[in-house]
Amino acid sequence: MVDRQRLIERMRAVLGPGGVIAERNQLRTYECDGLAAFRVVPALVVLPETTEQVQGAVRVCHEEGVPFVARGSGTGLSGGALPVSDGVLIVLSRMRRILEIDYDDQRAVVEPGVINLWVTKEVAPRGYYYAPDPSSQLICSIGGNVAENSGGAHCLKYGFTTNHVTGLEIVLPDGDLVHLGGKAPDPPGYDLVGAFVGSEGTLGIATKVTLRLLRKPEAVRTLMAAFESADAAGDAVSKIIAAGIVPAAVEIMDALAMEAAEAAVHVHYPEGAGAVLIVELDGPEAECTHQFEEVERLCQEAGSTTIQIAEDDDQRALFWKGRKSAFAAVGRISPDYYVQDGVIPRTALGAVLREIADMAEERGLRVANVFHAGDGNLHPLVLYDGDVEGEEERAEELAAKILFACLALGGSITGEHGVGADKKKYMPKQFTADDLDVMQLLRCAFDPDGRCNPGKVFPTPRLCGETPGKRHVHPAEQPGLVEAV
């Protein structure tokens, strides 16, 4: 058993008294991330401001045999930054400097606590942007994006975080500092940057991240088409992709998701619509104009009842505000809900939506569907009332059944929210024991003692008091004071 007081004193020696939180009432602030159903109070929280302080804190953990967990903004939805009760939570939110912008090489070097949207705001005046745009980009950090390999609405055309990170500075679990990759694309040797991005904080802590910047496209066109059903909207997506068009983003919201978003942000969705499809094209003006006309025609062929075209940036922003606020907005129509994240082949969209509807009806529950239609990434939101006896259990069962349906269709248990603590029990359903052993070998190469974010990704017995990933509306969300992420 580690002497806690000695641990506190050693951490204060590294970070100063202002960089260490040891009071229990303050530690509770960090007991969960965006998946609030999982709660563990850490033994200690440290707030480093430099790479050297991260190294020092990790080295103390290594020498004392203490586990540690890195945390960015704490917006993850899979419990990936859930603390461990006898461990140290290393919070990187004070490391929020944009260190370098290299326009010639189209790179930005940032600290892990930098907020995703800050990167685009920094480079936008010069005509550049950072492509990955998770719905939480107003508050989520680049370090968290790296851990979870975050995506977003525009990852269909531009890829996930892993496609936009070219270099990393990493503090290994023993406190050593290493550099992987750099500004150049595709360095020789093993793709260790690729291995680290999406490793959910189990291989070390990123202290500097080199990001790829893109030029703003010459033209952007966005439309919102209404359909009688999500099936019909899915058919339109298939027609668009089959025509050889690769939109920047293709998103679908069903009627229940629209009802929630309308109450929150007043997009003025078409009355009576069963689903809306948001399609955004970007690129050279001539190509964009031609393809946009094709998309309009294909939506009409698929049975679109109305099509709204964004006339300016403000209307385009409103379309996206409705889509990106959908998770939090669902709190306006249900006291509790379960956020699910699964992937299917795009062609199976209609089949799986019908199956979800049937399974929900059997259990007397409602499901609001929001999804990245272009790459088959579903986000069904299972609505329930935790005060109604048995409803919570049925919601949990339905959320699991949805994942199993995704796997049966050749999909995945997660698209962009990660495995974390929430879905580790499902890993053996997607991967064989040999698959998991190979993953463990990679992890052990970085962290042979298993002290870096233990209890995540790999199936282990649940900790005492853990329950699966149900989601309760935070009191502050109910009156719309904040948006969940």
Side-chain angles (χ1 to χ4, degrees):
M1 180 65 71
V2 176
D3 183 325
R4 185 169 182 270
Q5 190 54 44
R6 187 177 71 181
L7 184 64
I8 292 170
E9 290 169 3
R10 290 199 66 185
M11 287 297 184
R12 284 176 176 163
V14 173
L15 297 120
V20 179
I21 295 174
E23 296 295 331
R24 183 169 175 81
N25 60 337
Q26 293 178 312
L27 291 173
R28 290 203 61 186
T29 303
Y30 300 93
E31 66 183 359
C32 68
D33 58 11
L35 184 59
F38 285 15
R39 294 172 188 266
V40 176
V41 178
L44 207 62
V45 170
V46 298
L47 298 154
E49 298 181 14
T50 66
T51 294
E52 291 71 24
Q53 289 186 343
V54 175
Q55 271 191 284
V58 170
R59 191 163 286 131
V60 168
C61 289
H62 176 68
E63 291 169 357
E64 297 288 347
V66 174
F68 63 90
V69 176
R71 170 182 164 129
S73 296
T75 58
L77 292 170
S78 63
L82 184 73
V84 288
S85 60
D86 59 346
V88 175
L89 189 68
I90 300 176
V91 180
L92 301 159
S93 56
R94 290 183 178 176
M95 296 180 66
R96 49 175 55 193
R97 293 178 299 166
I98 295 175
L99 300 169
E100 179 188 357
I101 301 293
D102 180 346
Y103 289 107
D104 290 338
D105 290 319
Q106 296 188 208
R107 296 289 185 268
V109 182
V110 306
E111 291 185 327
V114 167
I115 301 301
N116 174 296
L117 196 56
W118 293 357
V119 181
T120 290
K121 286 184 175 177
E122 179 73 18
V123 300
R126 294 282 295 270
Y128 292 86
Y129 74 108
Y130 177 60
D133 61 339
S135 296
S136 56
Q137 68 180 141
L138 279 168
I139 188 171
C140 67
S141 65
I142 292 296
N145 293 174
V146 169
E148 301 296 335
N149 189 21
S150 299
H154 292 79
C155 64
L156 172 65
K157 182 173 183 178
Y158 294 103
F160 287 70
T161 297
T162 191
N163 303 111
H164 299 273
V165 174
T166 62
L168 292 164
E169 178 185 86
I170 295 168
V171 175
L172 294 174
D174 62 0
D176 283 352
L177 192 69
V178 299
H179 294 84
L180 306 178
K183 292 182 179 178
D186 195 23
Y190 294 117
D191 182 12
L192 295 178
V193 173
F196 191 90
V197 177
S199 61
E200 304 197 21
T202 61
L203 305 184
I205 299 177
T207 48
K208 289 187 180 68
V209 186
T210 303
L211 304 172
R212 186 161 68 105
L213 302 175
L214 300 182
R215 276 279 192 187
K216 283 185 179 177
E218 181 182 8
V220 181
R221 302 289 302 278
T222 309
L223 66 75
M224 183 166 64
F227 294 85
E228 291 184 352
S229 68
D231 257 11
D235 183 44
V237 174
S238 294
K239 289 178 183 294
I240 292 167
I241 302 296
I245 298 170
V246 181
V250 186
E251 303 283 307
I252 293 178
M253 299 169 65
D254 71 5
L256 203 51
M258 281 189 286
E259 177 187 336
E262 186 66 40
V265 296
H266 314 301
V267 181
H268 304 303
Y269 294 109
E271 288 189 14
V276 292
L277 171 67
I278 301 171
V279 183
E280 186 160 286
L281 300 178
D282 64 15
E285 182 71 52
E287 176 185 297
C288 202
T289 299
H290 170 70
Q291 291 191 340
F292 200 73
E293 291 170 355
E294 279 291 288
V295 168
E296 282 189 77
R297 182 181 65 78
L298 293 168
C299 285
Q300 290 166 352
E301 277 187 13
S304 172
T305 53
T306 62
I307 295 178
Q308 296 179 51
I309 297 172
E311 295 181 356
D312 51 35
D313 288 345
D314 289 343
Q315 192 171 13
R316 179 178 301 110
L318 184 60
F319 287 177
W320 285 117
K321 189 175 183 181
R323 165 60 188 88
K324 294 194 173 190
S325 68
F327 282 13
V330 166
R332 293 173 178 261
I333 61 172
S334 178
D336 304 293
Y337 57 101
Y338 199 118
V339 179
Q340 196 50 285
D341 167 45
V343 179
I344 56 167
R346 190 185 63 253
T347 51
L349 199 55
V352 80
L353 287 176
R354 287 190 291 276
E355 189 170 352
I356 289 172
D358 290 343
M359 292 191 295
E361 186 175 355
E362 287 172 9
R363 292 162 179 80
L365 297 170
R366 298 182 297 165
V367 176
N369 287 292
V370 180
F371 42 96
H372 308 304
D375 53 10
N377 187 185
L378 308 175
H379 293 309
L381 307 168
V382 181
L383 316 188
Y384 69 97
D385 185 345
D387 292 333
V388 176
E389 186 176 355
E391 207 162 277
E392 183 177 314
E393 290 75 17
R394 295 202 303 279
E396 182 187 342
E397 181 198 24
L398 174 56
K401 292 287 186 185
I402 290 171
L403 284 188
F404 300 157
C406 292
L407 289 176
L409 290 163
S412 169
I413 61 171
T414 181
E416 58 184 352
H417 293 176
V419 176
D422 184 29
K423 293 184 176 176
K424 61 185 182 182
K425 57 184 177 293
Y426 301 134
M427 288 288 275
K429 292 188 177 297
Q430 180 167 352
F431 298 103
T432 67
D434 287 343
D435 291 337
L436 295 172
D437 284 347
V438 170
M439 293 183 201
Q440 282 282 16
L441 286 173
L442 175 63
R443 177 177 185 170
C444 290
F446 283 79
D447 182 23
D449 298 324
R451 294 202 178 95
C452 189
N453 205 14
K456 315 293 163 52
V457 182
F458 296 100
T460 55
R462 286 183 185 174
L463 297 174
C464 181
E466 280 189 2
T467 55
K470 49 191 182 296
R471 174 83 162 77
H472 301 285
V473 177
H474 190 282
E477 293 173 40
Q478 290 177 331
L481 297 177
V482 298
E483 292 182 356
V485 292

